[in-house]
Amino acid sequence: MNVTQKFPVRFFVVTFLWSWCIWMPLVLAGKGCINIRPEILGTITVPVSMLAAFGPAAGAFFSLRTIEGKGAVVRYLKRFLDIRFGWKTWLIPAGIFLVTTFAAWITPEFFGCNRLSMLLPNIYIFPLYWLIMVFLGGGQEEIGWRGYILEHLETKFGTQTGSMLLSIIWAVWHIPLFLISGTSQNYMNFIGFMMLTFGYSFIFSWALRKSDNRPLAGMMVHGTANSFIPIFPILSMTAGAAQPRFWLWVSMTFAAGLIFMEISRREAINTISGK
């Protein structure tokens, strides 16, 4: 992928237009501006949101085709066929997400909170659910975020600043979901959500580098993070709830992101110094 050309602002334009235009009917229906029957709205919210989440991929494909020309998209997609990530990419992020999500889920019970039950029908479908999360339930965003635009941001602004900028843009991109009834973001605090995207950005970026920049690693790590949430629910789907699990979860993820930011800084220094 060529990162020496002009910075691809068009990526963000297409990404936001694709996603926000697809989400907007759900936002308008929830606000009563357009009439969609509740049973239909409840049925289409998840598939429509999955389609909208391909916005970063659309932005990447459009940028590649218009900047680098014919064949650039195919060359880019071929990079996703390489799964030689290494054990650190597979296990370390998964271990962190498992521990932080479980800890956020179980800890409030020691202070009198009722247990939130697992949202999956049973644990045996977890492998299938994990695959859905990797390719349709959030992981597809990484085709554009870490797979394409992160390298441009890091080249222009540096490794740490690039990841921080992407975490802010990524959070803002999710804004329509905070206005759609039935989505998890509808029950989240936006500042807390930004803490989450900050932590995730540095963990995802570290995993991508550990995989030698194999972009499927970003999809895998993102999908893995999302796949633990229905097993250890961290949100009370009740308007106005205090959400102690959510705040524990985003705080621990934010702290983990700070640690990985420092790890990445030291690794960069060691690389420059030849250690």
Side-chain angles (χ1 to χ4, degrees), residues 177-225:
L177 289 174
F178 286 81
L179 306 174
I180 299 173
S181 178
T183 64
S184 59
Q185 284 83 2
N186 192 236
Y187 299 93
M188 294 181 182
N189 176 280
F190 185 71
I191 299 300
F193 186 76
M194 289 190 70
M195 293 170 62
L196 180 71
T197 59
F198 178 94
Y200 273 174
S201 287
F202 279 98
I203 297 171
F204 292 2
S205 300
W206 175 88
L208 189 66
R209 283 190 290 275
K210 282 299 175 184
S211 73
D212 289 331
N213 291 313
R214 293 176 170 88
L216 186 60
M219 295 179 65
M220 182 271 294
V221 174
H222 191 151
T224 300

